[in-house]
Amino acid sequence: MTEHSPSDLQFYLTAETACPYLPERHERKLFTHLAGKRSADLHNMLSKHGFRRSQNIAYRPACEGCQACMSARVLVGRFEQSSNQRRIWRKNLDIVSTDVFPHATQEQYLLFKRYLKDRHRNGGMSEMSHLDYEFMVEDTPVQSVVVEYRERTPLDEKPGRLLAVALTDILPDGISMVYSFFEKDQPRRSLGKYMVLDQIERARAAGLPYLYLGYWVKDSPKMAYKSSFKPLEVLGNGDQWQQLDDAQVGPERDK
């Protein structure tokens, strides 16, 4: 099998924009294109080096003077649910999850727009059209799956209400959660955390060692929930994966 390294690729640097995670900071991203027969191999290799996928682009932060964004992955084989996570799991036993082909539907898009309006009103994705959403879901050069989470109906006679959606990539060593969104009027369910728990179990059932969660930022409230999925590894200095310990996380946030 041909071995690749990041040095084999041509990379580009984005212009500086406001950081979505830390106030009064700015971000830049290093990115490259995923195209051709090598796309899956390149995506796998770049994921191990902290890159994320958006459509046919692989990117990672390249911010001047800041290394706060750390790629994070759950060690699936050693993960055990906390008491809080067990409560979340039990609250969602009435949900049915189904793998579907990465095809954008109107039902998904309307849920996506409600989620953005509630959670990311002023974010860069807030003005996405249905066509933009189609590109986000369908423009993938690698093995991707959309998981729909629905309320269970009596005897499963018809599809229940769509509560949440997770777009995921399947890697040789794990599952990568590309993007997820959920219904805003179900706060007691903790749907965001529930989807992570479900994806951990999916990776476990497939015999995959990791669930990739994107970036963890210590001082960002938006990213705090990720540290509750222990043990969690982050990509540190020298591109080495290391287990995140309680001292790095700070005060307990799994409440």
Side-chain angles (χ1 to χ4, degrees):
M1 184 172 119
T2 304
E3 294 291 335
H4 304 289
S5 71
S7 60
D8 297 331
L9 304 173
Q10 186 170 9
F11 290 92
Y12 307 89
L13 196 62
T14 67
E16 198 173 71
T17 59
C19 176
Y21 305 121
L22 299 174
E24 300 180 4
R25 296 199 191 184
H26 295 83
E27 70 167 359
R28 300 184 79 177
K29 292 176 182 175
L30 187 70
F31 71 95
T32 189
H33 294 277
L34 298 172
K37 296 180 180 179
R38 298 191 307 159
S39 294
D41 290 340
L42 293 174
H43 181 228
N44 178 44
M45 180 269 294
L46 290 169
S47 294
K48 294 178 180 178
H49 288 274
F51 282 76
R52 299 286 292 164
R53 183 185 70 83
S54 176
Q55 297 174 228
N56 63 353
I57 297 292
Y59 69 91
R60 66 178 290 179
C63 309
E64 186 174 352
C66 180
Q67 295 181 333
C69 291
M70 305 178 77
S71 189
R73 65 188 187 186
V74 181
L75 298 178
V76 170
R78 293 168 51 196
F79 174 78
E80 294 183 5
Q81 292 183 4
S82 67
S83 58
N84 180 58
Q85 289 163 347
R86 287 193 294 272
R87 287 193 293 272
I88 292 171
W89 189 261
R90 289 194 297 269
K91 288 178 180 178
N92 291 286
L93 290 176
D94 61 331
I95 284 182
V96 177
S97 62
T98 306
D99 291 0
V100 298
F101 186 79
H103 170 69
T105 67
Q106 181 70 5
E107 185 182 25
Q108 292 170 9
Y109 175 68
L110 293 176
L111 174 58
F112 175 68
K113 291 296 286 185
R114 291 195 298 272
Y115 173 80
L116 292 179
K117 183 178 179 180
D118 182 61
R119 296 297 185 102
H120 304 285
R121 183 183 298 270
N122 298 316
M125 302 173 72
S126 61
E127 299 303 320
M128 285 177 62
S129 66
H130 192 285
L131 182 60
D132 294 327
Y133 177 73
E134 284 184 11
F135 281 127
M136 184 179 83
V137 172
E138 300 178 9
D139 187 8
T140 172
V142 300
Q143 183 182 356
S144 301
V145 174
V146 171
V147 183
E148 293 186 339
Y149 296 86
R150 296 180 178 275
E151 289 181 331
R152 187 183 300 277
T153 56
L155 302 178
D156 295 329
E157 295 174 352
K158 61 180 181 179
R161 179 188 178 194
L162 183 64
L163 296 178
V165 173
L167 172 61
T168 64
D169 289 344
I170 310 302
L171 302 169
D173 67 348
I175 295 174
S176 176
M177 295 189 72
V178 177
Y179 196 79
S180 59
F181 52 94
F182 49 88
E183 193 61 80
K184 63 180 182 178
D185 65 356
Q186 302 283 316
R188 62 172 292 277
R189 288 184 178 273
S190 299
L191 287 167
K193 291 182 179 180
Y194 171 72
M195 280 190 284
V196 176
L197 294 173
D198 179 70
Q199 293 296 324
I200 289 173
E201 294 311 312
R202 286 167 173 267
R204 197 195 305 274
L208 298 173
Y210 304 116
L211 175 67
Y212 289 86
L213 290 182
Y215 298 111
W216 175 74
V217 183
K218 179 179 179 180
D219 296 320
S220 171
K222 293 180 181 179
M223 299 290 106
Y225 75 95
K226 296 182 181 182
S227 61
S228 68
F229 296 94
K230 303 173 183 177
L232 190 74
E233 283 189 336
V234 294
L235 193 63
N237 295 332
D239 264 6
Q240 297 296 314
W241 289 94
Q242 53 191 304
Q243 188 170 322
L244 193 67
D245 59 37
D246 292 340
Q248 291 172 283
V249 173
E252 178 62 48
R253 300 187 186 190
D254 185 19
K255 302 297 185 184

